Amino acid sequence: MLSALFLLVACAPQGDGKNPPPSPEASSPKETPDEKKDPSGSSDPNEKLFTKSATIDDMQSFHSNSEFFVTVGEESVVTHAANGTEIARSGIAGFEGGCILAVVGSSPESGSLIWGRVTEKPAAGLAPETWTLSIVATDAKTYEQRWSKPLVADSKEALGCQDPQDATVTRDEKWLAFGQWVIDLADGTSRALGDGIVPRAVGNHILVFDGVCANCLNGMKSVPVTDPATGRTLFSFPEHDVIGALSDVPGKFATSSDGSTLFIARRMSGDPLSYALQSRSLATGKVNWEIKGVSYSGPISQKVKLVEDAGVVIFPDLAAADAKGVAPEEPQKELGLSLSDGKRLWEIPDLEVCTANSAGVAVETNNQLVVIDPRTGRQLAYTPDRTDCGQPLGEYSYYSDDDALIRVLPPVE
């Protein structure tokens, strides 16, 4: 079961320089002799834009949260500060036979590792072998157990950990959606929704759909958004095209940090296939704004980047696909849109967004890493020393292909 160990990790703004990052409002930098020597594009050699803050060894999985992160390797589970410094370590044996689902909390001292532990009961004569899946909360620094509770089974015993990547946590970190269950993270109390019914955390609510088939609606006429505590429907997504987009998306939805707003791509009927990007209120379900004419393939939740402090949402724009869903070969564009009304602020072709914050958006293009202004798309700096995006670890960091933790435009500590 060790290969099934996964987790959600955490990372937050950290800094290692004495100088603040370039302001998004600053004028475009001009090349100087010093900048020719310093590939980061900074006029101050102490102000590195892409700083390697740590190398993480023995890491098989991780995901991000807010103020710390945890890695799982072949031999250890390790809690790290945001800059990669090791805070605590546990042997892997304590998590054997389970799967880490989430890391929650604002700090290692108050944070918890949420994981599933499978308990096997051997066959005894006529009594068959059984398995029970419990949800466990473990202190993120001491690794002591905070609580453990078996999941409420709907019609049969839990046969083991399902895909841990299916676990989603509400923005307020009060509820976990996993498998067919909605779980209270205060004490592990769970509610089973029934075989084939899939809950997903969206903002501070739980969206429920028939997930037996990941790419079809299975007869559902609407997708309800529910109160996690009671299961009461707050509102529903009635539109067929919206429902299809929602049921195609496993994992985390693109929502604002306060859980009030959802960003989703709505399928538009007709040929060629295209999408509209919507901003929807999660209080009422009503559309705040919609930008039509964008086309897109792939899970929307993996592509939307929110830069809330700058008031920008970054979204991929492709030329409309043909009737078979095949997109043309022209380079993909990234769009910078206003969070408040969806107005287009900029568009740049052939980019891959690494991470984004109010000081800048780090992108990969031309085999280099570039920082652009989130409001205008103007280039602020670049470096040819780093060439991969890696995996995001929050607003200011990502984990690169060479096992390094990279901080981008860190603020002053």
Side-chain angles (χ1 to χ4, degrees), residues 120-138:
E120 179 182 356
K121 184 178 181 180
L126 297 178
E129 180 183 30
T130 59
W131 296 264
T132 301
L133 177 60
S134 297
I135 300 298
V136 183
T138 300

Side-chain angles (χ1 to χ4, degrees), residues 309-322:
D309 288 345
V312 176
V313 54
I314 301 170
F315 180 76
D317 182 18
L318 303 174
D322 61 22

Side-chain angles (χ1 to χ4, degrees), residues 153-360:
D154 183 52
S155 59
K156 58 186 177 182
E157 292 279 359
L159 296 181
C161 283
Q162 303 174 37
D163 187 353
Q165 292 180 325
D166 282 344
T168 55
V169 178
T170 56
R171 279 291 196 167
D172 57 15
E173 297 190 336
K174 293 181 179 179
W175 300 91
L176 172 72
F178 174 58
Q180 61 175 290
W181 300 280
V182 177
I183 301 156
D184 188 338
L185 289 178
D187 60 5
T189 301
S190 61
R191 184 174 74 254
L193 303 184
D195 290 339
I197 303 300
V198 179
R200 291 282 185 266
V202 53
N204 295 325
H205 306 317
I206 298 293
L207 178 146
V208 180
F209 65 92
D210 187 339
V212 174
C213 172
N215 297 306
C216 58
L217 302 180
N218 298 308
M220 292 191 75
K221 296 181 179 179
S222 65
V223 175
V225 173
T226 65
D227 180 341
T230 64
R232 180 176 62 88
T233 296
L234 303 174
F235 63 89
S236 295
F237 291 101
E239 302 98 322
H240 174 85
D241 292 335
V242 172
I243 298 170
L246 292 171
S247 61
D248 281 350
V249 181
K252 187 176 180 180
F253 288 103
T255 60
S256 58
S257 59
D258 63 1
S260 66
T261 309
L262 167 70
F263 297 87
I264 193 78
R266 181 175 72 87
R267 292 173 181 163
M268 300 180 70
S269 59
D271 180 20
L273 176 66
S274 61
Y275 283 78
L277 178 66
Q278 282 187 350
S279 166
R280 282 200 177 224
S281 167
L282 285 173
T284 64
K286 295 181 179 179
V287 176
N288 298 319
W289 51 259
E290 180 176 270
I291 302 300
K292 297 180 180 180
V294 297
S295 181
Y296 163 77
S297 60
I300 181 66
S301 61
Q302 306 302 314
K303 297 295 184 180
V304 168
K305 299 286 186 183
L306 302 180
V307 192
E308 293 183 83
D309 288 345
V312 176
V313 54
I314 301 170
F315 180 76
D317 182 18
L318 303 174
D322 61 22
K324 296 181 179 180
V326 178
E329 295 181 357
E330 65 183 71
Q332 173 179 308
K333 294 179 181 178
E334 290 287 339
L335 304 178
L337 308 174
S338 168
L339 275 175
S340 61
D341 57 13
K343 178 183 177 181
R344 291 198 185 201
L345 304 175
W346 52 264
E347 61 179 59
I348 304 175
D350 203 18
L351 299 180
E352 179 180 354
V353 177
C354 302
T355 188
N357 57 66
S358 58

Side-chain angles (χ1 to χ4, degrees), residues 55-73:
T55 298
I56 303 176
D57 300 319
D58 185 29
M59 192 209 69
Q60 294 181 328
S61 61
F62 69 93
H63 291 278
S64 61
N65 192 15
S66 55
E67 296 291 338
F68 65 102
F69 68 96
V70 181
T71 60
V72 176

Side-chain angles (χ1 to χ4, degrees), residues 63-134:
H63 291 278
S64 61
N65 192 15
S66 55
E67 296 291 338
F68 65 102
F69 68 96
V70 181
T71 60
V72 176
E74 292 184 1
E75 300 180 353
S76 303
V77 174
V78 183
T79 301
H80 303 261
N83 64 2
T85 301
E86 181 175 322
I87 294 176
R89 177 182 293 263
S90 170
I92 201 71
F95 298 90
E96 199 165 25
C99 51
I100 297 179
L101 304 174
V103 174
V104 298
S106 59
S107 69
E109 290 75 17
S110 63
S112 297
L113 282 71
I114 310 298
W115 59 291
R117 179 170 57 202
V118 178
T119 304
E120 179 182 356
K121 184 178 181 180
L126 297 178
E129 180 183 30
T130 59
W131 296 264
T132 301
L133 177 60
S134 297

